[in-house]
Amino acid sequence: MSPRKSAHDELTKEAIISVARDLFVKEGYSAASMRKIADTLQCSHGAIYYHFKNKAQLFYEMVEADFQKLDQVLDSVLEESADTNEQKLFSIFYRYIQFGLTHQKHYELMFLIRDDDVKSYLNEGPNKSYMHFAQAINSLAPRSLSIKDIWSVFLSLHGFVTHYCRSETTFEEVKELASSHAQFLIKAII
Amino acid sequence: MSPRKSAHDELTKEAIISVARDLFVKEGYSAASMRKIADTLQCSHGAIYYHFKNKAQLFYEMVEADFQKLDQVLDSVLEESADTNEQKLFSIFYRYIQFGLTHQKHYELMFLIRDDDVKSYLNEGPNKSYMHFAQAINSLAPRSLSIKDIWSVFLSLHGFVTHYCRSETTFEEVKELASSHAQFLIKAII
DNA sequence: TTCATTATTGAACACTGGTCAATAAAATTA
DNA sequence: TAATTTTATTGACCAGTGTTCAATAATGAA
């Protein structure tokens, strides 16, 4: 009826993203419909399209900021100066998995989603994160590692996270397995 | 108009699955609609529901057959009696990756799908295939492996396939990397 | 021939993502 | 202040989705 809301309750990207994040995490990408998001925001679903080109871009903008936390996790491990290099290596592997499984929806979007609409938005993100990871591994390894070995380590961690993302298992449920997987990978590089 | 087809062109589960597989592989799970499948079969979309409870179950019955092909690949490696155990181990790893990357859509459908409806049906298929895999690894490993180690090997292979599935890389393009990944995993278990 | 059974149809339902003319609030200009 | 432009919102609309089901015709059995 009223084609525009009064100033104090106009929509903002932040408000949309905040509601969308809750719904995406609660219901997944496809089940969280634009109409449900709009209902929660008490606006029409058309209004969201004024702020975001489409659903994929809304999802992407939501996740982009959160994903920078992975870099922060890696940095914080490197700064734990009390640990030995092998402890740090273990920590990086372990906490990479922890990150992936406690931010499953984000991880899925960055690394797993096949939706063509969404994929066109994703390119630099994962690559940048990997470079950071590779750098850290290389500086901590006890012997000189080939690029291929580091890549194998990454893919092996990725496989762990991917598998448990698919079945929506929490990190808590598999932390022992995560620990032994990290240990398994250390065996391969020392 | 005609509520039932004459005998010689009645629908069969096999005919539906065959058409559905093509479409699932070509367009993915969600884009391959029941109506498109029905159009290709030249029947109404309602008719499919006489043979399958719903789309997810049609998908599941299709994928179950695919898993058996993976089992056959593993079996054929075990029967290559000229090879040493380590060569067989390498072959299993390498050909697992080869299978995944030369049947990317199948692999994706088998292991990566996130649709909730489908997931409730997918449990035994992958599990049975994994048991087969684990058995083979265990019998070939030079030292006694823990269940967790075998699981780590599997997840590490899965990570490789998953990654290159997402970017639609062919096996040919990464066969050297596949080889070194397989070698990397052997290092971890011997 | 009669009568169940069986397989198929297509309309209907409740959804989905996305578009767009109409419109009113807000910001800008005269 | 008044007129005008810009901006944000609405909701009808479109083409599509999975699923259900009464109606119905081909089939097979009695």
Side-chain angles (χ1 to χ4, degrees):
Chain A
M1 288 297 167
S2 60
R4 189 170 179 177
K5 289 181 161 158
S6 52
H8 66 284
D9 48 22
E10 266 189 3
L11 274 181
T12 62
K13 281 190 138 194
E14 288 67 34
I16 296 171
I17 284 178
S18 166
V19 163
R21 174 183 287 114
D22 286 349
L23 267 174
F24 281 137
V25 166
K26 207 186 296 171
E27 314 198 353
Y29 181 74
S30 59
S33 73
M34 296 298 253
R35 282 171 179 80
K36 281 182 193 166
I37 294 169
D39 285 352
T40 310
L41 285 162
Q42 288 181 292
C43 70
S44 74
H45 67 285
I48 300 176
Y49 288 88
Y50 182 80
H51 300 274
F52 298 93
K53 193 165 145 279
N54 51 37
K55 188 182 179 182
Q57 188 165 66
L58 165 57
F59 201 151
Y60 176 62
E61 291 199 23
M62 170 216 117
V63 89
E64 202 181 31
D66 296 292
F67 208 81
Q68 291 172 0
K69 287 178 193 162
L70 178 55
D71 282 350
Q72 289 171 16
V73 168
L74 298 190
D75 284 333
S76 76
V77 170
L78 293 175
E79 282 161 18
E80 282 162 10
S81 49
D83 291 359
T84 67
N85 278 3
E86 190 174 321
Q87 283 170 329
K88 283 183 186 170
L89 264 183
F90 176 86
S91 274
I92 286 185
F93 297 167
Y94 185 76
R95 286 164 79 170
Y96 181 92
I97 292 172
Q98 181 176 37
F99 177 87
L101 294 183
T102 52
H103 303 82
Q104 296 193 13
K105 303 289 175 181
H106 303 149
Y107 195 90
E108 179 196 353
L109 185 77
M110 295 298 281
F111 288 116
L112 300 179
I113 209 149
R114 282 195 70 91
D115 186 305
D116 286 340
D117 298 337
V118 171
K119 260 175 21 181
S120 66
Y121 287 95
L122 301 170
N123 270 323
E124 300 137 47
N127 216 340
K128 234 182 76 187
S129 263
Y130 173 71
M131 293 308 285
H132 199 82
F133 172 86
Q135 195 94 45
I137 303 303
N138 200 47
S139 69
L140 293 173
R143 63 177 175 88
S144 164
L145 294 177
S146 70
I147 289 179
K148 285 179 178 177
D149 277 341
I150 297 177
W151 185 232
S152 282
V153 170
F154 170 74
L155 291 179
S156 301
L157 289 172
H158 178 62
F160 190 101
V161 176
T162 297
H163 176 81
Y164 289 109
C165 267
R166 197 189 75 91
S167 58
E168 276 163 28
T169 310
T170 65
F171 177 71
E172 275 302 311
E173 294 175 70
V174 290
K175 56 200 250 191
E176 281 86 9
L177 270 178
S179 175
S180 78
H181 192 61
Q183 215 72 62
F184 169 86
L185 293 176
I186 285 178
K187 262 184 286 176
I189 61 172
I190 59 177
Chain B
M1 287 297 166
S2 61
R4 187 171 179 177
K5 288 180 163 159
S6 52
H8 65 284
D9 48 23
E10 266 189 3
L11 275 181
T12 61
K13 280 191 136 190
E14 288 68 35
I16 297 171
I17 284 179
S18 166
V19 164
R21 173 182 285 113
D22 285 351
L23 268 174
F24 281 137
V25 165
K26 207 186 296 168
E27 314 198 353
Y29 179 75
S30 59
S33 71
M34 297 298 254
R35 281 171 180 78
K36 283 181 193 166
I37 295 169
D39 285 352
T40 311
L41 285 162
Q42 289 182 292
C43 71
S44 74
H45 63 284
I48 301 176
Y49 287 87
Y50 182 78
H51 299 274
F52 298 94
K53 195 166 145 277
N54 52 36
K55 188 183 181 183
Q57 188 164 63
L58 163 58
F59 174 81
Y60 173 65
E61 293 200 21
M62 173 220 109
V63 99
E64 206 179 25
D66 291 334
F67 268 108
Q68 291 174 2
K69 285 182 197 160
L70 181 54
D71 283 351
Q72 286 168 20
V73 169
L74 298 190
D75 282 334
S76 76
V77 170
L78 293 177
E79 282 161 17
E80 284 163 9
S81 50
D83 291 359
T84 67
N85 278 3
E86 190 174 323
Q87 282 171 329
K88 284 183 187 172
L89 262 183
F90 176 85
S91 272
I92 285 185
F93 296 168
Y94 186 75
R95 286 164 78 172
Y96 181 92
I97 292 173
Q98 184 177 33
F99 176 87
L101 293 183
T102 50
H103 304 82
Q104 295 195 15
K105 298 288 181 177
H106 291 84
Y107 195 89
E108 180 198 349
L109 295 174
M110 281 159 32
F111 286 116
L112 301 177
I113 206 150
R114 281 196 65 89
D115 187 294
D116 285 341
D117 297 338
V118 170
K119 272 189 341 200
S120 64
Y121 286 96
L122 289 176
N123 266 324
E124 301 141 44
N127 218 338
K128 235 182 78 187
S129 260
Y130 172 70
M131 291 309 286
H132 199 82
F133 173 86
Q135 195 94 44
I137 303 304
N138 200 48
S139 68
L140 294 171
R143 64 173 174 88
S144 163
L145 294 176
S146 70
I147 289 178
K148 286 178 178 177
D149 277 341
I150 297 177
W151 186 234
S152 283
V153 170
F154 170 74
L155 292 178
S156 301
L157 289 171
H158 178 62
F160 191 101
V161 176
T162 298
H163 177 81
Y164 289 109
C165 265
R166 197 189 78 93
S167 58
E168 278 163 28
T169 311
T170 65
F171 177 70
E172 276 304 309
E173 294 176 70
V174 290
K175 56 200 247 188
E176 281 86 8
L177 268 179
S179 175
S180 80
H181 193 61
Q183 217 72 64
F184 169 85
L185 293 176
I186 285 176
K187 260 184 288 176
I189 61 172
I190 60 177

